[in-house]
Amino acid sequence: MSYRSPLLLSSLHPAAVAAGDDIPDAVTIDGVTLSRSDLLGAATSVAERVARAQRVAVLAEPTVTTVLAVVGCLLAGVTVVPVPPDAGNAELTHILSDSGAQAWLGKAPEGSDLPVVPVRKHARSWHVYGEPEPDATAFILYTSGTTGAPKGVMLSRRAIAAGLDALAQAWAWKATDVLVHGLPLFHVHGLILGLLGPLRVGSPLVHTGKPTPQAYAAAPGTMYFGVPTVWSRITEDPDAAQELAKARVLISGSAPLPVPVFERLRELTGHAPLERYGMSETMITLSTRPDGERRPGWVGTPVHGVETRLRDEAGEPVPHDGESVGGLQVRGPMLFDGYLNRPEVSAESWTEDGWFKTGDVAVIDADGFHRIVGRESVDLIKSGGYRIGAGEIETALLGHPAVAEVAVVGAPDADLGQRIIAYVVTRDGAPDTLAQQLIDHVAEELSVHKRPREVRLVDSLPRNAMGKVQKKLLLGGAQPNARQ
Ligand code: MCA
Ligand code: AMP
């Protein structure tokens, strides 16, 4: 089924739209609703302006400008580098230099000296572009690793088409659906599933700006996307939750959905949520189905075209018996084409026989149902559905003059899944307000969601004989010489 349609954005077929295959509400975002023909005309005008570029950065605010910028690039075959709107100095500098983005499309953050190509919402063009090559890179999505700066995941048009078609099939997603979500437009979840999905399937999208319970309750739809933090907050607002009873499906992903949230959501809405699992590198590979079993704590079976297996540390097979835990490996047509500028890291991510090592540990039962048990590394944190590398935060904190040593961990958190905690050994003369200063420092240098929620000032960090910080001890609750 991969690349079945001649167009990645099938619903924006110029001839079909010209012949009247229009809908008045293709995309609603930031209080503005665009018909399919408005969207196609305005995005084609963007395409004309940007067509000679190879790669542009888009400041991914949830606005019409972002939608037109992304769609315009996809029409013209220009690679998009989505940038978190609150990206700070270090993150921005890295993304721009690593990606080689030639310009901002739409809007630039303050202080950037790259040129800005404007997006004019009311301009229209009806030029018809040929469909770019399926192997062309549609997006470079920056995502955290355990150490170092975020890596650019290269996703081709072919992979996106295959990933979206597999999901449309798994979820029985049709043009008659209306998708509602308020997720950020710089990750697979909000951007590729949440914006390109509707444009490929032909179903309207309502983007709520922020994914608050009130905003979801106020937006009538048939499908709602959320990360577990969103669903957990919805269960705390029963009136809002009850509005979602009218939906066809509620879909959770990006992090483990706690079983009590699953159960409470079912109680309040009458819907057992669909859970699905994926990564920036693989798109969505596993899901439960609307007409199948939805087992709390489990993420279902492979979507069309995906195969999975478990391996132990020596690379030996682990039985699919519902109990044995192994490293999850996947393959399928929706996988990425490697990390930009990182051939060694890309090569290490694959087995010799062509399977992608997810870094997650899982069990698979005899029916092919999967349960994600956790991550192989404590250094990859999931907070509010965001993937955050401990190493990246440690580097940012070490850049602060008062910090001598630091260890960052993700502690369990009822709202966020994991909460970032930084254990910090300070240099002499550190001010009393240091903890808040360090939180703000990370928010300014990286982005707001990467900030530690808590900074614990300590006299020393627990280290093993080799001098390596023992993060498991920090997570186990051992408080290393906490300062009073
Ligand atoms: C507080 N704030 C600060 C500071 N302290 N700002 C700057 N510096 C500080 N020191 C303020 C901010 O201004 C902002 O205010 C607010 O704190 C943000 O609060 P926070 O608790 O951090 O977040 P939240 O607004 O409550 O967000 C929770 C959330 C969010 C909505 C669930 O985490 C979220 O959108 N998550 C989605 C992540 C996602 O889509 N991941 C997909 C990747 P104000 O709000 O007033 O501006 S995974 C993926 O793509 C794969 C393939 C998959 O499986 O899906
Ligand atoms: P990202 O690249 O930001 O999409 O993060 C991918 C990671 O999110 C995966 O490797 C998993 O650790 C985690 N993840 C995504 N979906 C789920 C899920 N449904 N259950 C558990 N973990 C998930």
Side-chain angles (χ1 to χ4, degrees), residues 59 83 85 87 92 104 107-112:
L59 197 66
V83 177
L92 204 52
W104 288 101
K107 183 176 174 189
E110 251 172 64
S112 172

Side-chain angles (χ1 to χ4, degrees), residues 86 141 143 182-193 209-212 226-231 233 252-255 276-284 382-387 415-416 436 438-444 447-453:
D86 63 345
L141 296 180
T143 192
L183 297 167
L185 297 182
F186 47 88
H187 283 310
V188 164
H189 198 164
L191 175 65
I192 301 201
L193 275 49
K210 289 206 164 206
T212 60
V227 298
T229 303
V230 168
W231 294 122
R233 292 179 184 181
S252 180
S254 302
R276 93 299 181 284
Y277 158 88
M279 296 182 73
S280 305
E281 289 87 336
T282 66
M283 303 210 14
I284 306 310
K382 266 272 161 165
S383 190
Y386 286 112
R387 168 170 154 187
D415 179 45
L416 296 169
Q436 187 58 46
L438 294 180
I439 292 170
D440 294 342
H441 175 74
V442 175
E444 275 159 31
S447 40
V448 170
H449 65 266
K450 292 183 178 169
R451 72 189 190 279
R453 301 296 164 131

